[in-house]
Amino acid sequence: MARDSLYEIHDPRFVHLIVSSARLEELYSGCRWAEGPVWFNDANQLLWSDIPNQRMLRWTPEGGVSAYRQPSNFANGHTRDRQGRLVSCEHGTRRVTRTEVDGSITVLADSHQGRKLNAPNDVVVRSDGTVWFTDPTYGILSDYEGYRSEPEQATRNVYRLDPATGEIDAVVTDFNQPNGLAFSPDETILYVADSGASHDDVLPRHIRAFDVVDGRRLANDRVFAVIDKGIPDGIRTDTAGNLWSSAGDGVHCFAADGARLGKILVPQTVANLTFGGPRRNRLFIAATNSLYSIYVTATGAQVP
């Protein structure tokens, strides 16, 4: 393993995914817990959450950082649907919402089988328009990132939601704390992080992989990778099928075969990340108090 102050190289393939001369840039500090970055290429902006401060922030290359939404209902993870609209997970309201082009808010999901969701955490949208999200209990464990409440769901699930019909199905029900999720570039695999070790070291700190069947069901459950420092939280894939995961010591990169290729070392615990910039080759990293970025040679798979 090769290591310098910024990179750990576990596999020669990682050398071709990083820019050796690139350096980690701190774009903003002052968050209490930075989370949920999402890139808008058409607006040349990044949005992300500062959960305990009840706000969503916006960064642009020209204008720096400004407030996007406050209060934010303790919003956590975000993505965009195929029409470019913002889709968000809110701890405070225990719901998944969509921000329409006129700024109005549409509630996509706030309950399952007549009971409130726990605290939706992270979300992705498939090419068929379906919304897939995780529902751990982090946002109701205390009043720091939401409102302390007793869970009404018996399990902590991964859901598939069809916004066209309102149909919502629990596609996996045996997670300890499902967290970040991402599709492979061809959408045949769904990766889901289990961050149960955040509150009990003997619980999972791994990423599971599932085959997507008919765009509706998940099969062939297996452990894809284990995080050796901290826990997996937010995850993203690049166009070559590599998976990039948050971790306690930075960003870990795994090949599609599950091999750890290397790490980008970050001075704060990383919660989430996304690819952005005009060519989707800039990695934006939400890490505890700060927003960082670094250029890579990988291209993010996010659409749009």
Side-chain angles (χ1 to χ4, degrees):
M1 178 183 71
R3 175 172 180 154
D4 63 18
S5 60
L6 182 57
Y7 301 109
E8 284 186 9
I9 299 172
H10 295 242
D11 185 296
R13 288 175 285 180
F14 193 55
V15 174
H16 303 289
L17 296 173
I18 58 176
V19 179
S20 60
S21 61
R23 284 295 172 257
L24 191 68
E25 303 172 58
E26 187 178 50
L27 303 177
Y28 180 78
S29 63
C31 295
R32 284 203 169 101
W33 183 247
E35 253 283 12
V38 57
W39 176 254
F40 284 70
N41 204 43
D42 44 354
N44 200 29
Q45 68 178 13
L46 183 92
L47 302 182
W48 84 99
S49 297
D50 180 8
I51 305 175
N53 279 326
Q54 267 263 50
R55 61 182 181 169
M56 292 168 58
L57 298 171
R58 169 175 31 214
W59 174 86
T60 66
E62 302 83 9
V65 174
S66 59
Y68 173 77
R69 181 178 295 164
Q70 190 171 17
S72 64
N73 294 323
F74 295 100
N76 187 341
H78 307 279
T79 193
R80 300 180 74 187
D81 68 12
R82 295 306 169 111
Q83 289 72 49
R85 296 170 294 189
L86 177 68
V87 179
S88 304
C89 292
E90 299 177 359
H91 286 178
T93 54
R94 299 164 72 168
R95 66 187 188 179
V96 180
T97 64
R98 184 177 65 216
T99 301
E100 308 296 347
V101 294
D102 63 0
S104 62
I105 304 295
T106 298
V107 178
L108 298 180
D110 59 7
S111 63
H112 177 58
Q113 295 181 341
R115 297 183 295 274
K116 286 184 180 180
L117 298 172
N118 294 321
N121 187 285
D122 211 349
V123 57
V124 290
V125 177
R126 200 168 178 272
S127 60
D128 61 2
T130 54
V131 177
W132 302 61
F133 66 94
T134 56
D135 190 37
T137 57
Y138 290 121
I140 57 174
L141 291 178
S142 73
D143 292 320
Y144 187 63
E145 292 190 3
Y147 302 106
R148 185 192 299 271
S149 304
E150 290 298 316
E152 296 184 17
Q153 298 294 326
T155 51
R156 299 158 188 181
N157 304 330
V158 180
Y159 291 101
R160 176 192 181 274
L161 165 70
D162 185 345
T165 64
E167 179 186 5
I168 180 172
D169 296 306
V171 290
V172 192
T173 61
D174 65 347
F175 272 86
N176 187 273
Q177 291 282 29
N179 208 314
L181 70 174
F183 284 105
S184 61
D186 63 3
E187 298 185 330
T188 61
I189 300 171
L190 179 68
Y191 300 99
V192 186
D194 193 330
S195 56
S198 61
H199 286 69
D200 187 338
D201 198 53
V202 304
L203 293 178
R205 58 179 76 247
H206 58 223
I207 300 165
R208 291 162 62 180
F210 303 84
D211 294 337
V212 181
V213 181
D214 299 328
R216 300 185 62 90
R217 297 182 295 107
L218 300 180
N220 192 23
D221 176 13
R222 65 269 192 196
V223 173
F224 170 75
V226 177
I227 298 298
D228 64 352
K229 300 289 185 182
I231 58 170
D233 194 328
I235 56 178
R236 294 290 188 275
T237 56
D238 64 29
T239 54
N242 302 303
L243 184 142
W244 302 69
S245 174
S246 60
D249 57 350
V251 176
H252 296 191
C253 179
F254 299 90
D257 60 11
R260 182 184 289 108
L261 302 181
K263 302 179 180 182
I264 301 173
L265 302 175
V266 179
Q268 301 184 67
T269 297
V270 175
N272 213 326
L273 59 138
T274 198
F275 290 92
R279 306 176 83 173
R280 290 182 290 158
N281 65 338
R282 190 173 187 178
L283 195 61
F284 291 92
I285 302 167
T288 311
N289 306 129
S290 299
L291 175 71
Y292 295 94
S293 78
I294 189 169
Y295 283 94
V296 294
T297 65
T299 302
Q302 176 185 319
V303 178

